[in-house]
Structure formats: C-alpha cells, structure tokens
Amino acid sequence: MTTYLAFLRAINLGAKRKFPKDDIVAAVEGLGWTDVRTHINTGNVRFDCPLRSRAKVEAALEQAFAERAGFEVPTIVLTPAELREVAERAEAFGHDGAHYVSFLKQEPSPEVVRRLEELSSAEAVAKVGGRAVHLMLDTAYHQTRLGNATVEKHLGVATNRNLTVVRTLVEKWC
C-alpha cells in the first residue's frame, strides 16, 4: 500500500458546493482504500491505497467524489515525501509575509513557469518548484492579482493552501 495526500479544489464554497468530511471519508473508503484521515473541512485527505499511478489515484478519487458530492471535485495528489519537499522549499525562501502554495495537477514546462514568475512584483512573488507554486505576498491574499486564479490561468488545475496548513499536514502526516 502507498500513502497519498489528496488536496481537493473548490469544496465548501457557497450553498451548492458542500462536501462534508464524513462524505469525503466515505467516498475514499468506498474505493476500498484504508487509513483515511482528513484535516479541517477544506479538502485535505490522507489515505493508503494499492495504486501506484498518481494519475489513476486522482481519476478514481475524482469519480468517487463526483458521485458522492454531486459536483466535480478536481483533486491533486502528492506523496508525503513530495509534501515535505514543498514545505522545505517554502522554509528556504525565508518569506515573513503571507505564503500560499498552489498544488498543480501537472508539472509545468519551463516556458510557462518563466511567464508566471515574470508576473511577480515587489508585493507578490511566485516561485515554481515541480508541481508547487509558492505565492509569497506582502498584501492580503484577496487583494493580490497573483493568486490561485492566476496560477490556474497559466498552469492549469490547481488548489492552494496557506503555509500554516502545509506545515501542519507535514507534522501530522509525513
């Protein structure tokens, strides 16, 4: 069995997109996967499963979540080692302001990375490492033009978490 961490995108937003933790757990367990755990109700899930292909894990989860929730739930899957690496890279930046990480479904090409990173300014910096985009902000997240929507526009499906959540998940699950 392999341990994976799944990050669900766009759940519990508004009245029509509710997907409670118990339903998430039931959907994952319904796949026959074990040791399912969640962290806060924003779509952070840890589980063990026999599949080795990240793409197959994501596809199975997305199908199970859509059936259970009644709406599409894009899902990005990482291994504990990958999440640890993301957290270590974040610490290396030494940014004292707001720090968010957007997890990507696919690793972007160098050209696309360059274009996104060129959008950085004194108030908002984007640094891409593998399937993680570090957004380091000196302004409030909801006021920046360099948020997850911009990441998705350039790099495709993504979901983000603040660095506090990333650190907590590393401590709990890695």
Side-chain angles (χ1 to χ4, degrees):
M1 292 290 231
T2 302
T3 299
Y4 290 104
L5 310 174
F7 298 91
L8 286 57
R9 183 182 171 277
I11 65 165
N12 299 323
L13 302 171
K16 295 182 181 182
R17 296 193 59 88
K18 298 291 183 199
F19 194 20
K21 288 191 297 187
D22 291 344
D23 287 346
I24 293 169
V25 170
V28 176
E29 289 176 340
L31 292 167
W33 300 349
T34 59
D35 201 15
V36 182
R37 304 177 206 170
T38 62
H39 174 73
I40 61 179
N41 206 24
T42 57
N44 307 296
V45 188
R46 182 215 176 276
F47 55 92
D48 293 334
C49 84
L51 299 178
R52 300 249 180 228
S53 163
R54 177 182 52 82
K56 288 180 181 178
V57 172
E58 287 174 346
L61 287 170
E62 288 174 349
Q63 181 177 347
F65 293 156
E67 289 170 4
R68 184 90 184 187
F71 55 85
E72 190 175 310
V73 182
T75 303
I76 288 98
V77 171
L78 302 172
T79 65
E82 288 171 321
L83 186 64
R84 236 184 347 269
E85 187 177 304
V86 168
E88 289 167 2
R89 182 164 192 163
E91 299 306 328
F93 290 126
H95 180 70
D96 291 333
H99 189 140
Y100 292 82
V101 179
S102 290
F103 299 111
L104 306 171
K105 260 202 183 291
Q106 303 298 325
E107 189 161 337
S109 71
E111 175 61 24
V112 176
V113 168
R114 183 188 58 74
R115 285 198 307 259
L116 178 70
E117 289 181 347
E118 284 177 350
L119 296 175
S120 295
S121 67
E123 296 82 28
V125 175
K127 292 289 183 188
V128 181
R131 292 189 307 123
V133 179
H134 295 265
L135 300 170
M136 295 164 281
L137 312 174
D138 288 334
T139 178
Y141 184 80
H142 68 281
Q143 295 175 328
T144 186
R145 65 177 180 79
L146 192 56
N148 200 62
T150 303
V151 169
E152 284 195 316
K153 179 180 175 183
H154 290 356
L155 305 180
V157 175
T159 187
N160 74 350
R161 303 295 186 270
N162 69 39
L163 186 54
T164 302
V165 169
V166 171
R167 287 175 179 146
T168 299
L169 292 176
V170 167
E171 289 175 21
K172 276 178 79 169
W173 293 343
C174 300

